[in-house]
């Protein structure tokens, strides 16, 4: 069994995988102060409850929060007797290297998502990931990440709207039936939901125009299902894309 760890700005996902099959996965809040010992107490209890008895042989980590990685290394070395493969380090090979401006550091999650999407769907892809930020990743015909776009995440937008405008309440994300709201809450729901629908449609359309070809759109991240109900946004929705990509990266490095 292998352990795949996806560290986001808000949440961290731990998944036990058997080659490329996800056996179990769990989510916790990302906390750079959580120690390796604390991770193990939490994780071992969950593994026991899931009746996972096989030993963890390999660990692969993608993190957009560098401070978290040290404690995850401690977890792996102390309790799983292995050195984790950390995406974005010189020890980790990406199946197809990114083609971006020299000196650019691409987020580990974006590299992993690109590897997963190419493995599952082939090339010429747009991966839309709904996380703390909403990211658009463009994958070339050979599987290389070649750039994209970054927009504020939906939760960030809602918090900014509430925080900067004293008269506006905090609202949760919701799918309104109408664009024209007749009260403040409905107006905010409409602006956020239909605004992001327009964002996704507009950015994907412009990417296709720049590339001059058909591009397959894939939605992932916590709100991908929520927006997938809007017909025509995505060709595929895969909420486990990052975990699959970690398994792909791990397999590529084990074969060296």
């Amino acid at each position: 069994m292998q352990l795949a760890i996806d560290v986001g700005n808000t949440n961290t996902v731990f998944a036990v995988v058997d080659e490329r099959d996800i056996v179990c996965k769990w989510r916790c809040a990302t906390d750079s102060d959580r120690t390796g010992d604390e991770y193990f107490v939490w994780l071992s209890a969950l593994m026991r409850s899931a009746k996972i008895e096989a030993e963890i042989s390999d660990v692969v980590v993608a993190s957009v929060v560098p401070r978290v990685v040290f404690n995850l290394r401690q977890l792996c070395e102390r309790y799983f007797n292995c050195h984790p493969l950390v995406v974005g380090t010189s020890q980790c090979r990406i199946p197809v290297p990114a083609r971006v401006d020299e000196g650019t550091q691409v987020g580990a999650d974006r590299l992993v998502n690109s590897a997963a999407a190419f493995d599952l769907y082939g090339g010429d892809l747009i991966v839309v990931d709904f996380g703390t930020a909403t990211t658009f990743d463009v994958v070339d015909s050979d599987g290389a990440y070649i750039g994209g776009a970054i927009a504020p995440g939906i939760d960030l937008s809602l918090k900014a709207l509430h925080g900067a405008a004293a008269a506006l309440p905090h609202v949760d994300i919701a799918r309104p039936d109408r664009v024209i709201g007749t009260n403040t809450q409905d107006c905010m729901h409409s602006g956020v939901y239909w605004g992001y629908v327009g964002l996704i449609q507009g950015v994907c359309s412009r990417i296709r125009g720049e590339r001059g070809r058909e591009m397959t759109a894939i939605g992932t991240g916590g709100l991908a299902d929520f927006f997938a109900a809007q017909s025509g946004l995505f060709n595929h929705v895969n909420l486990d894309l990052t975990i699959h990509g970690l398994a792909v990266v791990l397999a590529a490095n084990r074969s060296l």
Side-chain angles (χ1 to χ4, degrees):
M1 295 284 190
Q2 300 85 41
L3 182 64
I5 307 174
D6 170 28
V7 183
N9 286 295
T10 304
N11 292 315
T12 298
V13 176
F14 289 75
V16 175
V17 297
D18 185 4
E19 297 305 326
R20 299 190 186 187
D21 296 324
I22 299 173
V23 179
C24 282
K25 65 175 182 176
W26 307 281
R27 184 182 301 267
C28 67
T30 298
D31 181 357
S32 58
D33 292 328
R34 185 175 285 124
T35 67
D37 299 331
E38 289 173 316
Y39 278 122
F40 182 72
V41 170
W42 173 79
L43 188 59
S44 59
L46 291 170
M47 292 175 67
R48 282 196 303 271
S49 69
K51 296 181 171 55
I52 297 174
E53 299 178 354
E55 292 186 359
I56 299 296
S57 60
D58 298 282
V59 181
V60 57
V61 178
S63 176
V64 298
V65 186
R67 287 184 58 197
V68 172
V69 175
F70 174 81
N71 287 328
L72 290 176
R73 289 186 187 275
Q74 295 295 305
L75 165 71
C76 298
E77 292 168 2
R78 182 173 299 173
Y79 294 105
F80 299 131
N81 196 32
C82 69
H83 298 289
L85 180 69
V86 180
V87 178
T89 64
S90 59
Q91 293 78 30
C92 179
R93 173 181 175 270
I94 299 299
V96 183
R99 291 196 290 273
V100 293
D101 293 345
E102 186 175 352
T104 299
Q105 287 191 329
V106 181
D109 54 338
R110 306 182 80 178
L111 294 173
V112 167
N113 283 349
S114 298
F118 181 70
D119 182 69
L120 293 170
Y121 307 111
D124 289 326
L125 308 172
I126 306 168
V127 181
V128 184
D129 188 355
F130 296 90
T132 304
T134 300
T135 58
F136 298 78
D137 300 326
V138 182
V139 183
D140 208 345
S141 55
D142 64 348
Y145 168 87
I146 58 171
I150 302 174
I154 294 170
D155 284 341
L156 281 179
S157 296
L158 286 170
K159 289 176 182 176
L161 201 57
H162 171 60
L168 296 181
H170 175 75
V171 297
D172 293 326
I173 182 72
R175 186 187 301 112
D177 295 326
R178 294 158 43 90
V179 176
I180 301 173
T182 54
N183 57 66
T184 301
Q185 181 169 292
D186 286 350
C187 288
M188 293 175 69
H189 284 154
S190 177
V192 171
Y193 180 78
W194 293 113
Y196 271 86
V197 168
L199 170 72
I200 297 162
Q201 290 173 331
V203 173
C204 288
S205 176
R206 287 182 174 275
I207 289 172
R208 291 184 174 106
E210 286 188 13
R211 298 289 292 158
R213 65 187 74 175
E214 286 298 313
M215 305 285 288
T216 299
I218 300 154
T220 190
L223 289 172
D225 266 345
F226 182 76
F227 282 94
Q230 182 61 34
S231 177
L233 282 185
F234 304 119
N235 301 99
H236 307 280
V237 172
N238 189 328
L239 302 184
D240 293 322
L241 193 68
T242 306
I243 297 300
H244 182 80
L246 285 167
V248 168
V249 169
L250 180 59
N253 283 267
R254 288 169 65 189
S255 66
L256 293 178

